[in-house]
Amino acid sequence: MAPLQIRHRSARHRVPPDRTPRLRLKPKADSTGYLDGAWWPRSGKLVAELPDLLAVLSVRLGTVQRVVYDRASWSHVPRQLILGDRAIRLDAYPFELGNTMYVYGSAGHVIVLRVITANTDRDVAHTALMTMVARDPATPPAPRLATRSTE
């Protein structure tokens, strides 16, 4: 079976506002916990949803090379996705937690997302997105590095 080809001009640098992914990521410096964020796709078709998501995630990851997704959460998915002139490997995996996705970028960087199913109630999904990035009030903020004043 031939890989699905989706062509996006300058998708890496610009995501159209009407297709901006419903995504929340922890701050880059927050390394607590297993998950880096949450994503609420608009449909159950992974190959239709990935281009916009990967365009946004490439800001942190660089060139996205591989996506490992929960096979139980998505309809038929090809082994790779062609975006522009590059192929992105798509690998199904039976995650114990379910609805989990790993997105691998260049230099070994990875973002782990909790995927909120597309048909989730709007209020429930919004709460889940916001909870994912909310810092536990009992957890002290990450230490800030002191900066030297130039005055």
Side-chain angles (χ1 to χ4, degrees):
M1 179 160 139
L4 177 66
Q5 292 196 6
I6 298 177
R7 304 243 184 246
H8 273 239
R9 284 187 333 191
S10 68
R12 180 175 172 165
H13 303 289
R14 186 176 151 268
V15 177
D18 61 330
R19 294 299 298 172
T20 298
R22 299 180 296 192
L23 171 72
R24 292 291 181 264
L25 294 173
K26 291 179 182 177
K28 196 173 184 178
D30 184 354
S31 61
T32 60
Y34 174 70
L35 298 166
D36 299 305
W39 173 49
W40 181 30
R42 290 175 171 78
S43 76
K45 297 178 183 174
L46 185 60
V47 293
E49 298 292 333
L50 277 178
D52 292 327
L53 176 67
L54 299 182
V56 171
L57 293 180
S58 69
V59 172
R60 279 199 192 181
L61 293 174
T63 302
V64 175
Q65 299 173 340
R66 180 179 179 210
V67 175
V68 179
Y69 62 93
D70 179 21
R71 87 172 54 154
S73 301
W74 299 97
S75 56
H76 176 73
V77 177
R79 292 181 132 322
Q80 67 179 356
L81 173 67
I82 306 297
L83 289 178
D85 60 347
R86 59 192 172 90
I88 299 166
R89 194 168 126 194
L90 305 176
D91 293 318
Y93 188 81
F95 288 103
E96 186 175 325
L97 295 175
N99 294 328
T100 304
M101 177 182 289
Y102 286 69
V103 182
Y104 292 87
S106 54
H109 299 294
V110 64
I111 290 178
V112 182
L113 299 173
R114 166 72 63 213
V115 180
I116 302 163
T117 57
N119 60 354
T120 301
D121 173 77
R122 177 176 293 280
D123 291 334
V124 172
H126 182 266
T127 299
L129 285 169
M130 300 314 285
T131 301
M132 177 54 59
V133 297
R135 187 177 59 80
D136 180 355
T139 305
R144 294 186 127 169
L145 297 176
T147 57
R148 181 176 272 181
S149 174
T150 57
E151 295 178 85

